[in-house]
Amino acid sequence: LPSLIEKEIPLIVLPRGTANDFARGLNLPADPETAISAVEDGEIRAVDVGYANGHPFLNAASIGMSAEVTERQTKERKRQFGAVSYAISAWEARRDIRPFKVRLEGKGESRTVQDCIQLLVGNGPHYGGGMTVREGASLQDGHLNISIVRAKSPWTMATALPFLKTGRADFTPHVDVKTVERIRIEPDRKMTVYADGEPITKTPKELREFLSIFNSNFVL
């Protein structure tokens, strides 16, 4: 991704992943052979790129529950169970999740949130095997969507799963979603930040901002 951004090389995305969250965010055909026809029939469009402490990402960056789930997603598990592997990893992760407190700063505003079990900054609309960060979110709108799940236990989070799936956080009191262009995040302990399935940095010292920019092209 850093090389693609630097060289501005057009890219065609083939949906051959576990859940294809990025491809679905671009409304690409699910069939790889159909998607590759975009080489002749597609158009070049720019998409947003998010940054976590200088590290670029496309779909989402997160701490808490979703990061714990990603950590447990092995290649063997994904190959065997496909998208269902996310549910298996979530069941395992429930035992190790501890709520955390986080301070958020952006646009001259500051806010502290208690009892967080997951904090996710979405660049695209989908993440984590088919979850939706916000209804109507786009990889091309110039914004990020920060989603905060407040729960004293993973069992409380389970009640919010239907709303996380559809992106309708307004239907549950356990989830807050806010649209931002830049945000500073300071949790009360050091946590690993996962983005697009990989660990990219840690908090609190190294995570400073998320910034959405237009500088990477993809053939659709």
Side-chain angles (χ1 to χ4, degrees):
L1 182 58
S3 296
L4 291 171
I5 294 171
E6 179 183 356
K7 298 181 181 298
E8 298 187 355
I9 298 175
L11 172 71
I12 183 168
V13 179
L14 298 181
R16 295 297 301 272
T18 305
N20 299 312
D21 288 323
F22 182 63
R24 291 193 301 113
L26 295 173
N27 296 316
L28 289 176
D31 175 56
E33 292 188 5
T34 303
I36 205 171
S37 65
V39 170
E40 297 180 353
D41 304 328
E43 63 183 66
I44 298 177
R45 293 189 293 175
V47 300
D48 299 344
V49 178
Y51 281 84
N53 192 34
H55 300 275
F57 64 92
L58 292 175
N59 276 331
S62 65
I63 55 177
M65 183 72 177
S66 57
E68 292 285 345
V69 171
T70 301
E71 187 174 3
R72 287 164 172 77
Q73 284 289 88
T74 64
K75 291 182 179 180
E76 292 75 16
R77 175 172 290 181
K78 289 189 290 185
R79 187 182 303 112
Q80 183 177 1
F81 297 103
V84 177
S85 63
Y86 289 94
I88 297 173
S89 296
W91 175 257
E92 293 180 354
R94 80 194 190 282
R95 296 169 296 187
D96 299 323
I97 294 298
R98 293 187 296 123
F100 57 94
K101 180 173 69 173
V102 64
R103 178 184 175 89
L104 307 173
E105 294 182 2
K107 287 189 176 181
E109 299 180 0
S110 177
R111 178 189 178 196
T112 298
V113 182
Q114 305 278 352
D115 294 326
C116 295
I117 201 168
Q118 174 175 293
L119 186 149
L120 180 137
V121 177
N123 180 48
H126 305 299
Y127 69 94
M131 298 295 168
T132 302
V133 63
R134 182 180 66 82
E135 187 180 47
S138 169
L139 279 158
Q140 299 177 291
D141 58 10
H143 296 100
L144 302 167
N145 291 285
I146 180 168
S147 171
I148 304 173
V149 180
R150 303 184 316 277
K152 294 185 180 298
S153 74
W155 300 109
T156 308
M157 183 175 178
T159 65
L161 284 178
F163 309 103
L164 295 175
K165 183 74 173 178
T166 60
R168 293 308 307 267
D170 51 320
F171 287 172
T172 173
H174 303 302
V175 183
D176 290 334
V177 176
K178 183 177 179 62
T179 300
V180 299
E181 294 181 359
R182 191 183 190 103
I183 190 74
R184 178 169 175 166
I185 299 169
E186 296 182 0
D188 59 358
R189 63 178 182 267
K190 181 172 287 190
M191 304 176 74
T192 301
V193 180
Y194 275 81
D196 299 341
E198 302 290 341
I200 59 171
T201 187
K202 290 183 179 292
T203 66
K205 293 182 179 180
E206 300 169 358
L207 181 60
R208 286 295 175 264
E209 64 187 31
F210 289 91
L211 176 64
S212 179
I213 64 173
F214 294 92
N215 70 348
S216 186
N217 296 324
F218 296 86
V219 177
L220 307 182

